[in-house]
Amino acid sequence: MSQIQINSFQDYQEAYQKSIENPSLFWGEIAEHFEWNKKWDNVLEYDWQKPETKWFVGGKLNITENCLDRHLATKGDQTAIIWEPNDPKEATQHVSYKELHSRVCAFANVLKNNNVKKGDRVCIYMPMVLELSIAVLACARIGAIHSVVFAGFSATALAARINDATCTVLLTADGGFRGKKTTPLKDIADEALKECPSIKRTIVYQRTHQKISWNTKIDTWWHEELKKVDDDCPAEIMDSEDMLFILYTSGSTGKPKGMVHTCGGYMVYATYSFQNVFQYKNNDIYWCTADIGWITGHSYIVYGPLCSGATTVMFEGVPSYPDFGRFWEICEKLKVTQFYTAPTAIRALAKHPSEFVTKYDLSNLKVLGTVGEPINEEAWHWYDDNVGKNNCPIVDTWWQTETGGMMISSLAGITKDKPTFATLPLPGIQPILLDDNGNELTETKAEGILAIKYPWPSLARTIYGNHERYKNVYFSAYPNHYFPGDGALRDAQGNYRITGRVDDVVIVSGHNLGTAPIENAINEHESIVESAVVGFPHDIKGNALYAYVITYNNVEENEDLTNEIRTLVAKTIGAIAKPDKIQFVKGLPKTRSGKIMRRILRKIASNDISNLGDVSTLLNPEIVKSIIDEKL
Ligand code: WT7
């Protein structure tokens, strides 16, 4: 697989040039390095008016043959996954490719025994145990579509996702360990399933051994099911454009969006980008600290690394437990060579004495990475000085759930990094900057709205069950371009720096949160008339949430109400979405057409009131002053 690696800057320039001049030739040659049951007829067919994108059209494959079977002859005994428990007193586990293959096949047979067929949707709501990776791969093995829901989400959020995809089977655990906390996953799932008629079976992995309730009609134990099967399970042959998985991401309006990724293009791009950005070499130990509940975990814990025959680390816990040295203790212990985490984690760790880092031997580290939000200068340098010892390139990787893989990033040691810049596009990626009217900014040095003007293999093909919304959100703002929702600037060398969202999505601790669903949750409260939620800068989380709420006439502001609002948000969406600040207001600044002027609210929340712009066009300009005066 290392044949698809770029080895020098010149190599990068040539690959990039070729990928632009002849994308089909370029990607066809990359795809030759994978296992296909049948070769594609056409590399790319697309029409972004519709919009429709197809890669490796007519090709047949199973991604798990690429992740597992292919390595058995050459790397069967090599470690595929190193699993590191939440509690350092529990043993680390090393799972070889051979063993992983066998365990995936066995669980795939469990799914079959429970009536899961190709095309069925399976919801996975699990902690970061090995079985989560096994479950994901087992679904792919038989052509079932996995929908992983992050185990920090509430019952309401879980139910909404199960129902949107009409999943028939739920895979969960009794509970999950994260730091000092135990999350009662089965209880939460039980609560969710009251609203989910499509679920016919829940397979429960025993992790915490806590007491749970049991519904004999639906529930069955994971370990009991495994006793009934063998580990022989031929891979289902999939079409390149068959769905591989659905993964939900928040939108700026109500419902989460079930992003659909397909088999062939996703496999090729996740693997190609993994190898090139991280420059993975034989015997390296690669660790991405993300949760598999996010796209980062899908592409860069499971699929990209395993397709590359890499050794990938899966960590159950959190960076702060048992203390703030946990990440570095693991890096030393496992001799980690590539380390990939989020700016929010870096900022949180940077608050603590540097001894938490310096006491560990990090000399095996070669590459550091970040993802999820812009990384500020200070955090970048802390990471570079303390973790990388100024000796490791830092890849700042810009991408999205929708893009399936890293889009703009330096390639470690090959192209130059630059603090706070994601830098250059990967081969095959054609970013451009637009002004507000959608005109391309052709000067190299420019700032504007980021867009992508040509298809790449791992683009999400649709929003599950709602192609119209897909078209509206991503392909309508600037016709014939993919619109990611971010702003960016470009320096004279062509390096991109992502400046943040240009829509109503706020990134809190690296989690992409739509403000609309949070507002909807708050508005459910009987005392609340209306609300507006915006982000404001926060030292550690990057952004935190600020909610402006209007209560009914006779309801006074009080602490109980504030707490109830927070609890309601946590229950509806998850604890991560709880507003840090809640301000009771008499009205919200609105345009004459009734749209809340979030721009003004953002400025007030950020204490940046010197330049509010012209408020006179508002329906209710006087409200702005009263909100400022009454700000806490
Ligand atoms: C949004 C996508 C990609 C996996 C994690 C988040 C922001 C992501 C960067 C970066 C600046 C970044 C963007 C993007 N973002 N990476 N390196 N620099 N911003 O995936 O939840 O789909 O969120 O995260 O705003 O649009 P996601």
Side-chain angles (χ1 to χ4, degrees), residues 466-487:
N466 199 344
H467 198 65
E468 201 49 38
R469 187 175 179 197
Y470 174 76
K471 180 176 178 158
N472 286 338
V473 176
Y474 304 110
F475 291 91
S476 298
Y478 307 98
N480 270 317
H481 292 117
Y482 170 78
F483 169 60
D486 285 309

Side-chain angles (χ1 to χ4, degrees), residues 296 372-374 396-401 486 498 501 507 512:
T296 313
E373 59 189 307
D396 175 355
T397 64
W398 174 80
W399 59 296
Q400 308 179 295
T401 306
D486 285 309
I498 310 302
R501 303 290 304 188
I507 313 258
N512 189 337

Side-chain angles (χ1 to χ4, degrees), residues 166-178:
T166 52
C167 298
T168 53
V169 167
L170 172 67
L171 309 178
T172 189
D174 49 356
F177 295 124
R178 256 172 85 83

Side-chain angles (χ1 to χ4, degrees), residues 366-370 375 379-381 383-385 388 392-396 409-410 412 416-418 421 423:
K366 296 193 286 189
V367 178
L368 302 178
T370 74
I375 181 165
W380 195 98
H381 285 294
Y383 199 29
D384 186 38
D385 295 344
C392 298
I394 297 180
V395 294
D396 175 355
S409 170
S410 53
K416 274 211 192 74
D417 56 22
K418 174 170 178 179
F421 280 72
T423 75

Side-chain angles (χ1 to χ4, degrees), residues 610-628:
S610 55
N611 182 18
L612 287 179
D614 181 12
V615 298
S616 67
T617 57
L618 293 177
L619 192 63
N620 49 353
E622 70 294 341
I623 201 72
V624 176
K625 185 168 179 309
S626 96
I627 295 179
I628 295 171

